[in-house]
Structure formats: structure tokens, C-alpha cells
Amino acid sequence: MMFHSYFRSGLSGAVPKPGFFNRPRGLDEGERALIALVVTREAGRMDLARLHAERAASALRDPFAVALLLEEGLPSPLTGRLGALATAAGILASDQPRLGRFERRRLASNGVDADELLDLIATVAKVSSHLFTRQGHDA
């Protein structure tokens, strides 16, 4: 308890400045699950993709869109914000991850801000790391 309150107020008692670790926003749970669905599906792990799809469908309250993405894969059959996030997640999970100008503009035009972009990248990295770690244990 003391540890938590110590870092909440900071060393000097001042309010911490915004920065990498103090980001105010990010993606919601359903969007993170959708990204995990894309990463695991692209890695060929349909068992995990189905689990993430269930979570995404429940959280996003759009089971049709999630089922379509699970079935069709990439390129994403979805449009709008979910389509932009799915496409970007697929690019970031590829062997040569690079979000080009078009993809960055598509994300921005669909309301994805800098905090959410950082969360997108972190989610892809976390799921990819989990897949890589599991492969090491499965071998």
C-alpha cells in the first residue's frame, strides 16, 4: 500500500508530467482483443484467434464484424476504425513491420490518436511476444 501511494504522489509530491508511462488514453478492451485476433490468426494460431474473437465480439458488441475478420483474415474486410486497426495490426505483426504514410493517415482519419497508436503497437508486441514464448515451450 505504501509503495502504491509513494508513486502516486511522486518523489516530491508533485503531479507527474505526461510522458511515455503516463499516457492518459489508449484502446478499449474490444479493440485490443481484435488486434490480438489479427496477430494470432496471421501467426496461424486459430485456436488462440478464436478465443480473442470471442472476447472482441463481446466487448465490441459487433459479433458479425469479428466473425468476418476471423473468417476472412487480411486484407481486412472491415472498414472504418476497426478495419484501420486490423490492417495496421497485420502490418505490424508481419516480418517487415512498417506503417507507411497511407496507413498512418487511415488510422488518424478514423480517430486513432497518438496514445491509441502507441497502445496498438504495444498490443501487437505483447501478443507477438506471447506467441514467440509459447513456441519455445511447445518445441
Side-chain angles (χ1 to χ4, degrees):
M1 187 65 130
M2 184 176 168
F3 181 82
H4 177 54
S5 62
Y6 174 77
F7 280 98
R8 179 185 291 162
S9 63
L11 293 174
S12 64
V15 176
K17 295 180 181 178
F20 184 79
F21 292 106
N22 299 317
R23 305 205 65 86
R25 297 181 37 191
L27 300 171
D28 65 36
E29 177 187 351
E31 291 169 331
R32 283 190 204 101
L34 186 87
I35 291 164
L37 155 63
V38 169
V39 174
T40 53
R41 188 186 191 292
E42 290 301 298
R45 293 296 309 266
M46 291 303 290
D47 55 330
L48 293 175
R50 284 186 193 91
L51 291 175
H52 292 301
E54 289 176 19
R55 236 179 63 210
S58 174
L60 293 172
R61 296 187 177 105
D62 192 352
F64 177 74
V66 174
L68 185 61
L69 183 60
L70 181 64
E71 182 69 29
E72 299 292 325
L74 295 178
S76 174
L78 306 180
T79 59
R81 182 178 172 93
L82 294 181
L85 289 170
T87 299
I91 291 168
L92 291 171
S94 69
D95 289 338
Q96 297 181 340
R98 182 179 183 278
L99 286 179
R101 184 180 313 171
F102 175 79
E103 291 86 8
R104 292 191 314 269
R105 284 185 183 164
R106 181 178 179 199
L107 287 165
S109 72
N110 282 287
V112 177
D113 64 22
D115 295 306
E116 293 167 327
L117 180 58
L118 180 62
D119 201 5
L120 165 68
I121 295 165
T123 302
V124 170
K126 181 178 179 180
V127 174
S128 297
S129 173
H130 178 74
L131 288 171
F132 180 75
T133 303
R134 286 187 61 101
Q135 281 181 345
H137 292 295
D138 293 344

